[in-house]
Amino acid sequence: MLRQNEGMQRTLQNIQERIVRAAESAGRDPSEVTLIAVSKTVSLERMQEAYDLGLRHFGESRLQEAIPKIEALPKDIMWHFIGKLQSNKARRAAECFSVIHTIENEGQLKEITKAQNPTLSLLIEVNSGEEEQKAGISLAETAEFAKTVVQYKPATLRGLMSIGPAHRNAEDMRPYFKAVALANRNLGGSWLSLGMSSDFEVAIQEGSTHIRVGSALFGERT
Ligand SMILES: *Cc1c(COP(=O)(O)O)cnc(C)c1O
């Protein structure tokens, strides 16, 4: 147990150092970057370890998996929903989570607004690679869709989120991240959710404020 904790501490320290270096290489303040620990499939025990090391932002992609974790872990955690959100689960998600990263249609919003959660933050998911099978709306549609999202009170639209096409080389993600960052600036987004284990440094250089890191922190998911 102790050995494992020391392992996670070292891993986390390494990730935090990489965040600082990436931010500084782009002339950014590292404190602008929030590390979201993506804990899907991760046990409560390991999440508690991460909490004890200071992490307060956790990302989950399935509601059924997340709810017992939210109930069991300390109340000062900010929970981020990062999975595909079906409309029939959107109201419940809006009651349990602080941030939903995967807004892509009005059906979700109609349910979310019923939760009347005044501290809920929303991000629009962009399919930046315009991939057939990927979730999210196209970059060209974001400005128009943002106007729809802000009508659904009391949640607050914060900006854009994107995964982007998987590439072997993180550097190849840069043009996608750049395009999403530009669209985010154009619509006045203050948050930008870009970057995962394999590409968070490039994402930070391109302006990400929220990186979603799972396997680099907790190890490969089984
Ligand atoms: C699983 C997941 C992540 C984390 O992926 P890693 O490569 O393990 O860091 C980030 N974002 C989303 C939307 C995910 O589903």
Side-chain angles (χ1 to χ4, degrees), residues 69-85:
K69 290 175 168 179
I70 294 171
E71 287 170 353
L73 288 165
K75 297 300 166 219
D76 61 343
I77 292 173
M78 292 267 287
W79 292 95
H80 297 254
F81 190 86
I82 60 169
K84 187 158 183 69
L85 185 61

Side-chain angles (χ1 to χ4, degrees), residues 38 40 61 82 161 163 196-198 212-216 221:
V38 174
K40 60 192 182 200
S61 51
I82 60 169
M161 174 274 210
I163 299 172
M196 321 204 301
S197 291
S198 57
R212 309 175 310 269
V213 177
S215 50
R221 285 177 294 276

Side-chain angles (χ1 to χ4, degrees), residues 22-202:
E24 287 175 348
S25 74
R28 298 185 61 203
D29 179 347
S31 70
E32 292 170 13
V33 180
T34 299
L35 170 61
I36 301 171
V38 174
S39 49
K40 60 192 182 200
T41 78
V42 175
S43 70
L44 272 178
E45 289 70 25
R46 300 214 75 212
M47 292 175 72
Q48 182 68 50
E49 280 180 51
Y51 178 90
D52 292 340
L53 292 171
L55 289 173
R56 292 295 179 273
H57 293 260
F58 288 87
E60 287 283 337
S61 51
R62 286 177 55 246
L63 198 57
Q64 304 91 302
E65 180 185 348
I67 286 173
K69 290 175 168 179
I70 294 171
E71 287 170 353
L73 288 165
K75 297 300 166 219
D76 61 343
I77 292 173
M78 292 267 287
W79 292 95
H80 297 254
F81 190 86
I82 60 169
K84 187 158 183 69
L85 185 61
Q86 278 143 10
S87 296
N88 63 0
K89 302 210 173 123
R91 180 182 183 161
R92 189 79 183 105
E95 290 165 350
C96 304
F97 283 81
S98 305
V99 187
I100 298 176
H101 289 236
T102 49
I103 301 300
E104 57 173 346
N105 63 60
E106 209 167 348
Q108 297 170 320
L109 294 163
K110 286 182 175 143
E111 292 303 313
I112 284 169
T113 196
K114 291 180 190 166
Q116 286 293 302
N117 177 355
T119 58
L120 180 66
S121 293
L122 303 178
L123 293 150
I124 295 171
E125 181 171 2
V126 177
N127 182 357
S128 54
E130 310 280 330
E131 294 165 286
E132 196 79 51
Q133 72 292 8
K134 274 255 173 78
I137 66 168
S138 78
L139 266 175
E141 292 167 337
T142 49
E144 196 58 36
F145 185 55
K147 288 184 200 152
T148 302
V149 178
V150 297
Q151 287 166 9
Y152 285 87
K153 301 277 183 288
T156 307
L157 177 63
R158 301 287 183 184
L160 303 179
M161 174 274 210
S162 190
I163 299 172
H167 277 292
R168 246 172 277 148
N169 181 351
E171 195 55 42
D172 294 337
M173 297 301 287
R174 195 180 295 280
Y176 299 97
F177 289 163
K178 246 188 220 310
V180 178
L182 176 63
N184 198 49
R185 275 196 299 280
N186 287 342
L187 60 83
S190 51
W191 296 3
L192 181 59
S193 172
L194 293 176
M196 321 204 301
S197 291
S198 57
D199 53 25
F200 69 81
E201 286 147 307
V202 173

